[in-house]
Amino acid sequence: MAHLMSLPAANPQKEQTDGTVPVAHVSVQQLRRVVAALLVVFAGILIFLATDGLTTPMRATLFIFVCAITAWTILELPETPVALAGALALAIVGAIPEELVYRSLGNDIIWLLLSAFVIAGVLRHVGLIEQITARLMPRMRSIGSMFWMLTLLTFATAFIIPSTSARAAILMPVYLGLSAAIDNVRISRALGLLFPSVILLSAGASLIGAGAHLVAAGFLSNLTGSRPDFIDWLVLAGPFSLVICLTTCAILFQVFLTKEERDITINSSPALKRPVAFSRQQIAVAGVVCCTIVLFATQSLHGIGMALVGVAAMLVLCVPKLSGTTLKDALRTVEWNLLLFMAGTLVIGEALIETGTAQMLADRLVNVFRQGMVSSPVLIIAFAAIVATFSHLVITSRTARVTVLIPAFALPLSALGVNPAALVMVVTLASGFCQTTMVSAKPVALFGGIEPAAFTQGDLRKLGYYVAPPFIILLILLATILWPGQGIPMKYSSDSIS
C-alpha cells in the first residue's frame, strides 16, 4: 500500500503533449469503427440466425450488401475496393457463379464507358470544347447571355462525355479563361457555381451521362426484360434535366448577382481573344463525334449496339493522322477506377436480382410498412424523390447511391402498387442532386478546390437550399404527369415500360 502511495501522480499535461494524434480525432474514428462493427454483427445475427425463409445465397448476398453499405457510408472507405471486394466475396461464398465476376468486365456497359472516356480524352487533346466556347464568345453580349450560353453548352457535353469529373476537367480551362477575363469576384463566384451544378444536373439527360444510369438500365432490363436506349432515356429524362439546369441558372442570377451585374457588357479582354478558326484535327474529331451520336440515337433502326458503335468511334478517333493522338495515349485518360467500380457494382446488383434478395426485401419491408404507409402513388413517388435527393449526404458516390437505393428502397416501395420502372427512374435521377457539400461530387470538389477558390462551402450550401425544392417538385411532376403519357404509368403494370 505504501508502495502504491509513493507512485508519482500522473501528469495530464504530459500525456496530452506526448500524444501524436488529437483525442477528438481518435474518438471520431473509433466511434465509426465501433458503430460499423455493431451494425455488421447485428446484421449477421439478424440475417443468419433470426430470419426464416431465406436460402443460403440470399443470406450471403444480403450480408455482403449490408457490409458494402456500411463500408461506403459509416467507414467512408474508397468505393472501388469495397465494390470489388463485395463482388469477389459473393463468388467465394458461392452466392453467384465465379464466371459472373469475370463476365462483368466484359459487360457492354463497361465497353461503352471505356469508349466514351477515350472519346472525351481525344476531345480534351484537340481542345474542341474550348474552341467552340471561343467561337461562341462574340454572341455573348452580356454576363446574362454568357451564363445562358454556357448552361446550354455544358448541357450538350453530357451526350458525348460519360463522366461528370471528366467534363469538369475539360471545362475547367473555359472557366479559368472567362474568370480571368471578367475580373469580377462576384461574377466569378457565380460562374464557378454554374459549371459544376450544370455538369451534375445535366448528366441526367443522357444514358451515358453517368455510370449510375447504366446501372439503373441494367436493373430495368432485369425487371422488365427491356433496357432503355439512348433516345428512350433522352425522352424520359431530357426535359427534366434541361429545365432544372435552366432553373439553376436563373436561381444563380437572383441569389448571387444583381441586375446591374447581369447586364454588364462583356469587354474585348485579351484573355478572350483566342483563335476561333477550327483546325483540321478539330473538324475531323467533331465529324466523328457527331456521327457517333447519330448512331447512338438511331440504334433502333440499324440494330448495332451502343458499345460497338462507341468502340468503333474510339478506334477511328485514335488514328494519329486524324486526331494527333494514339490509342495508347488516349487510354491514359480513362478513369479505370470508375470502370472497376462499375464492374463491382454490376455484380452486386445482379446478385441481388438473381438470388431473389431484392424481391425478398420488397416483400418483407412492405409487409412491415403496409399498415402505416400511405398507398397513394403520388405520395410514394414524392417520398422516394425526397429520400433519394438527400441520400448524397450519406453516400457520396452517385453510382453507389443507385446500387443501394434501387434494390433496398425503390423495389420495396414498388410492392405497394407503384410501377417499379417509375421508381427506378425517380431514384436514379434524384441521386444526381449533390450540390450541398464539397465532398458530395468530384466536379464540386474540383471547382471548389482551385486557388483562389471559386466559391465557399457556404455559397454551395446556399445554392443547394434554393435548387432542392424545384428539383424535387419537377421530378414529381415528371413522374406523375409526363411519364404516364410516355408509357410509364405510376401504378404497377406488367407492361409498364417498353
Side-chain angles (χ1 to χ4, degrees), residues 126-338:
V126 301
L128 184 60
I129 302 298
E130 294 92 329
Q131 195 73 314
I132 292 174
T133 304
R135 182 166 285 247
L136 291 174
M137 283 306 301
R139 301 176 181 270
M140 302 177 188
R141 303 293 182 183
S142 65
I143 294 298
S145 63
M146 181 187 73
F147 271 61
W148 290 119
M149 188 77 73
L150 290 173
T151 298
L152 296 176
L153 176 63
T154 305
F155 179 86
T157 61
F159 299 97
I160 54 176
I161 304 173
S163 165
T164 53
S165 56
R167 293 166 66 200
I170 290 175
L171 292 170
M172 175 64 77
V174 177
Y175 163 75
L176 293 175
L178 292 175
S179 178
I182 295 169
D183 194 22
N184 182 297
V185 175
R186 285 174 53 83
I187 296 176
S188 293
R189 178 184 61 175
L191 192 63
L193 288 167
L194 178 74
F195 273 102
S197 296
V198 176
I199 286 171
L200 292 167
L201 295 173
S202 63
S206 172
L207 179 61
I208 64 171
H213 301 167
L214 299 174
V215 172
F219 274 104
L220 288 173
S221 178
N222 289 331
L223 289 170
T224 66
S226 176
R227 177 184 296 177
D229 60 20
F230 192 82
I231 291 297
D232 292 334
W233 193 279
L234 174 61
V235 171
L236 291 173
F240 163 75
S241 297
L242 178 59
V243 171
I244 194 59
C245 285
L246 296 175
T247 301
T248 301
C249 183
I251 290 173
L252 278 169
F253 282 162
Q254 298 299 321
V255 176
F256 292 94
L257 296 177
T258 64
K259 186 179 185 303
E260 290 74 19
E261 289 170 332
R262 298 196 299 271
D263 292 338
I264 292 177
T265 302
I266 298 178
N267 58 34
S268 56
S269 169
L272 297 179
K273 286 186 175 180
R274 293 183 296 176
V276 295
F278 289 108
S279 68
R280 180 188 63 81
Q281 289 180 344
Q282 290 172 338
I283 294 174
V285 169
V288 174
V289 170
C290 289
C291 291
T292 303
I293 295 175
V294 171
L295 290 173
F296 281 166
T298 57
Q299 180 185 0
S300 59
L301 298 178
H302 54 70
I304 303 175
M306 288 178 60
L308 286 178
V309 171
V311 171
M314 172 184 76
L315 295 176
V316 172
L317 287 173
C318 289
V319 175
K321 291 184 178 180
L322 185 144
S323 64
T325 187
T326 63
L327 180 61
K328 181 178 180 180
D329 293 332
L331 287 174
R332 293 194 181 102
T333 66
V334 175
E335 295 187 30
W336 297 103
N337 185 67
L338 178 59

Side-chain angles (χ1 to χ4, degrees), residues 340-363:
L340 291 175
F341 176 56
M342 283 291 300
T345 54
L346 285 172
V347 173
I348 295 174
E350 189 164 346
L352 289 168
I353 297 293
E354 295 299 325
T355 61
T357 306
Q359 185 61 47
M360 180 274 298
L361 285 173
D363 295 340

Side-chain angles (χ1 to χ4, degrees), residues 34 85 87 102 114 151 175 245 301 307 313 390 423 452 483:
V34 170
Y102 309 124
L114 174 63
T151 298
Y175 163 75
C245 285
L301 298 178
F390 293 102
L423 283 170
W483 284 350

